[in-house]
Every structure is written in structure tokens, then in C-alpha cells.
Amino acid sequence: MKMNQQNDGFWTHFWATVTALASAAGLTTEQWVYVLCAILGALLSLGSFLSNRKSLKAKQAEDEKRTEILRAYLHGREVDADESSEKVAEEVKGVMDQVGN
């Protein structure tokens, strides 16, 4: 009769392998926690960087679109150059408010 009558399952072999690899690497459990947290921090930083870059590209495209609309409007207004600059400035402000919404 065997002393240990439990079946050797997958998880037993998995954790034994993990423990053996960690021991072979020469790192303690605390050091492995630091390594895993450093990897997690690097992944979060990379995700934040990529998300911010995507957001800035979208903002840049929106700004370029707004500039083109304003440029087209002002080009159309060049025909009516005899109007006062205050009136044109108010119209441009109104158009910019409409584009911003």
C-alpha cells in the first residue's frame, strides 16, 4: 500500500514546474512579485501611451478639419472686404462657436 494515495494531477505538476523554474532562476518569491509588478507597470504605461497617442491624433484631425472650414469661410468672405473688421470678427466667432458644437 502506498502512503500517498492522492492522484498526481495537472496542478500538482504545474506548480512543481513553476517552483523548480523559479528556484533555478535564483529569485525568491518576493523578487518574483517585484518582477511581475514591474511587467504589469510597463504594460499599463504602454497602454496609456498608445491610448493618448490615438486621442491626440483624433484631436489633431478635428483641429485640421475646423481650420479648413474656417479657411473656406474666410476665403468666401474676401469678396466682401469692404465690411468693418468688427463685424467680420463677430461672424468668425459665431462660425467658430458653431463648429465647436
Side-chain angles (χ1 to χ4, degrees), residues 5-74:
Q5 295 183 1
Q6 296 175 342
N7 293 335
D8 291 337
F10 168 77
W11 290 110
T12 303
H13 290 287
F14 173 76
W15 289 114
T17 304
V18 169
T19 305
L21 291 174
S23 176
L27 298 176
T28 64
T29 305
E30 182 180 5
Q31 291 169 332
W32 276 111
V33 170
Y34 289 143
V35 168
L36 293 177
C37 287
I39 291 171
L40 179 65
L43 291 174
L44 288 174
S45 295
L46 179 65
S48 175
F49 170 75
L50 295 175
S51 175
N52 193 29
R53 186 171 67 173
K54 181 180 175 184
S55 174
L56 289 176
K57 281 183 181 181
K59 185 177 185 275
Q60 177 72 23
E62 190 65 32
D63 287 345
E64 289 174 2
K65 188 170 108 179
R66 185 179 305 123
T67 302
E68 282 302 315
I69 291 171
L70 184 59
R71 184 177 291 139
Y73 174 76
L74 291 175

